[in-house]
Structures are given as C-alpha cells and as structure tokens.
Amino acid sequence: MPAMKTPVIETLVIGAGELGQAVITGLLEQKPACARSISVLLRPSSGNTGANIARQLKQKGLQIVYADLATETVEDLCALFTKFDTVICCTGFVGGPGTQRKITSAVLKAGVNRYVPWQFGVDYDVVGRGSGQPVFDEQSDVRDMLRNQSTTQWIIVSTGIFTSFLFERAFGLVDLQSAKVRALGSWDNRLTVTASEDIGRLTASILAHKPPIQNEVVYVAGDTFSYAQLAERMEHYLGRPVNRELWDMDWLCAEVAAHPDDGIRKYRLAFARDTGVAWDKKQTFNALLGIEVTDAMTWLKHQQRHVA
C-alpha cells in the first residue's frame, strides 16, 4: 500500500541538467511566486559545478534536497518523496539501468499525488520492447507500472528527441562542419524534435491546464520532418548542397553487433523506424492551444548566433 502522507502543495524537480533547468524556468514563468514551493533534487557533489548549480537555484528561492539515485533504495527515495504533491523526473539514464523503475516504484509507494516521469522522448507504446535500445524497454516498464495502479495520477509528455541532440556531432545525423546529413533507415522516415526550453514551458502549461490533465500521454513538438526534408532545410540554411548518406538497417544492426556497449549506436538503431518517433505537429498540445515553439532551423540559427 502507498505510504500515508500529509497532503501538501509542493513540487519536486529531480535533476537540474538541460531539461531540469528548463522545467524549473517554465514553472517559475507559469507562477512567479511559487519558487518557495519548488524543491530540486541534486546528487551530492563536492565539485564546483554542483555547488554553483545549487547556489544559483537557491538564489531563485528554490529549496535543495540531495540524494544519489544510483545508490538510494526505493525505501530511501519513498521517504524523501512523501512530502511532495507533484514529482517531475528530469534526469534520464545517467543513474544506470533500472533507475527509472526505482524512481517510479518510490513515487508510487510514497503515494505522490501527481507524477511526470522521465518519458520526454518517443512514443514508447508504439515503439514497444525490443527496439534495440534497452533503456526503451525500461520506459515501457514504467508505463505499465503507472497504468497498473490508481493512486498516483500521471502525465507523460512525449517530445521526440531534444533539438540539441539532433545536431550533436556524436549522434551523427547532422555534421555542420562537413555539410553532411545522414538518414536512419530511410530518407522517408520522420523525426519529431522539441527544444528543451519549449519542453520546460509546455510541461508547466500541461501541469497548470484546466481541467487538469490526468493519466494521459500528451504530445508536443517543436518540429516534425523526414530526413529528406531535413537535408533540404540544411541546404537552405547553409546556402550550398549537403552530402547525403543513408545508414540503412543492415549497417545499423552491424554497427550495434560490433559495438554492443555503445549507447549512441543503439540510439541510432532505435530511431531508424517509421513509427513511434514522429507525430503530426498540428495535433500536438502546443499547436492546439496556439503556443509558439521553436522549429529546428530557428533553434540552430539562435545557437550559431550565440556561439558567434
């Protein structure tokens, strides 16, 4: 049975990385006076980076709690979560396999009223298990855990991949320096991408929506395009032709087989599909409510100006 707790209206954001910071900003923009009711869970750290993040969050009026998700037990996390009304998980797979199941178990055991799990990605109901990316299987497990109970309300925010990841050179889809665009599986396959800043704003809007959204998968999108369209957009952006390279399924499978411990290669294989990783932007939460978001090329232009 879920642990008994005194009802409070407090929010816990787990993690303060790219997504965590964006969600915190979104929450504060939604309700500027709510800072004192927001806590942020950070991993204990003696380094300067961790200390600087904690100091910046405190300057905004936020509360800090510390826990190491990789080593804490379900019971430890349950005891921490009991005082929170809403828990938003903004830390991904850095804690290792099983971390998201552990966090979800603790949330449910604590009887948290509302939970937004780390599902900021593809449509795991469509992708299912056996995609080639083991962490996707864990995400399906989390959905089963949430749907098999009725005490904790949940909201899943499906975002596609982060726009920043689209342009990560290590991922390999867009190589700006060599003006190259690669397609996973087929040039007709599509991707949905959303900027982390938009994910933060949209998550806050979804949580504040009236009537309340409960036990639903909510789709958002900054942009949706095929790999062929991505190549065309990059040519327009760069003002010159781009080199096109297709990584077909045989090549992607061979790469994973040759490098079984390489997570990036597994991600490429998992995204080389025509379902579950893209959806029509016109039918998303942001489009239906008229919320402006940043498309991929606008995001890239902003980043390039910022670097310059």
Side-chain angles (χ1 to χ4, degrees), residues 167 169 172-182 234 238:
F167 297 104
R169 193 170 187 184
L173 299 190
V174 178
D175 188 332
L176 291 169
Q177 292 184 351
S178 61
K180 179 177 287 188
V181 174
R182 300 183 176 96
M234 287 306 305
L238 294 172

Side-chain angles (χ1 to χ4, degrees), residues 94-290:
V94 294
T99 300
Q100 297 307 319
R101 284 192 296 266
K102 181 198 291 187
I103 295 170
T104 303
S105 293
V107 165
L108 299 181
K109 188 172 183 178
V112 170
N113 181 51
R114 186 167 57 168
Y115 180 43
V116 181
W118 172 267
Q119 295 266 323
F120 302 93
V122 305
D123 187 338
Y124 297 104
D125 289 330
V126 175
V127 172
R129 294 175 173 82
S131 66
Q133 177 52 272
V135 294
F136 284 14
D137 294 355
E138 184 173 342
Q139 297 294 65
S140 294
D141 293 343
V142 167
R143 293 194 178 200
D144 288 346
M145 295 168 69
L146 295 174
R147 287 167 171 155
N148 289 334
Q149 57 82 47
S150 57
T151 300
T152 296
Q153 301 167 15
W154 51 269
I155 301 173
I156 287 170
V157 184
S158 287
T159 65
I161 66 173
F162 289 16
T163 306
S164 58
F165 194 52
L166 174 68
F167 297 104
E168 280 286 343
R169 193 170 187 184
F171 194 32
L173 299 190
V174 178
D175 188 332
L176 291 169
Q177 292 184 351
S178 61
K180 179 177 287 188
V181 174
R182 300 183 176 96
L184 300 179
S186 166
W187 286 103
D188 293 327
N189 286 349
R190 300 191 306 158
L191 279 179
T192 286
V193 303
T194 312
S196 57
E197 297 84 358
D198 288 336
I199 296 173
R201 292 190 302 111
L202 293 170
T203 298
S205 296
I206 291 166
L207 287 168
H209 189 268
K210 301 296 181 184
I213 295 173
Q214 301 176 3
N215 305 333
E216 290 186 30
V217 179
V218 182
Y219 296 89
V220 303
D223 213 342
T224 295
F225 43 75
S226 68
Y227 289 107
Q229 290 171 327
L230 175 61
E232 292 170 0
R233 294 184 190 186
M234 287 306 305
E235 285 187 334
H236 184 265
Y237 175 79
L238 294 172
R240 58 192 172 101
V242 300
N243 297 310
R244 290 168 167 81
E245 182 179 358
L246 174 64
W247 284 345
D248 62 24
M249 292 300 293
D250 289 342
W251 187 86
L252 292 167
C253 289
E255 282 288 291
V256 170
H259 306 275
D261 297 324
D262 189 320
I264 291 293
R265 285 180 167 87
K266 291 179 180 178
Y267 268 115
R268 292 173 186 157
L269 178 59
F271 278 100
R273 50 185 300 126
D274 59 2
T275 59
V277 299
W279 38 87
D280 188 348
K281 184 177 176 179
K282 294 180 181 178
Q283 300 302 316
T284 59
F285 176 86
N286 47 283
L288 294 174
L289 270 67

Side-chain angles (χ1 to χ4, degrees), residues 300-308:
L300 181 60
K301 289 176 184 176
H302 176 77
Q303 295 301 310
Q304 294 293 300
R305 285 199 301 266
H306 183 72
V307 170

Side-chain angles (χ1 to χ4, degrees), residues 2-64:
M4 298 299 294
K5 65 187 184 75
T6 302
V8 292
I9 307 299
E10 285 208 15
T11 298
L12 175 66
V13 177
I14 301 177
E18 179 181 358
L19 179 62
Q21 294 281 2
V23 167
I24 290 166
T25 299
L27 292 172
L28 293 176
E29 288 178 351
Q30 187 72 227
K31 295 181 179 179
C34 75
R36 297 296 297 178
S37 68
I38 300 175
S39 296
V40 183
L41 188 151
L42 301 178
R43 183 173 59 182
S45 173
S46 58
N48 290 333
T49 300
N52 288 337
I53 291 174
R55 183 172 59 253
Q56 292 168 7
L57 294 172
K58 289 178 181 177
Q59 289 173 347
K60 295 179 180 180
L62 307 175
Q63 312 299 306
I64 307 296

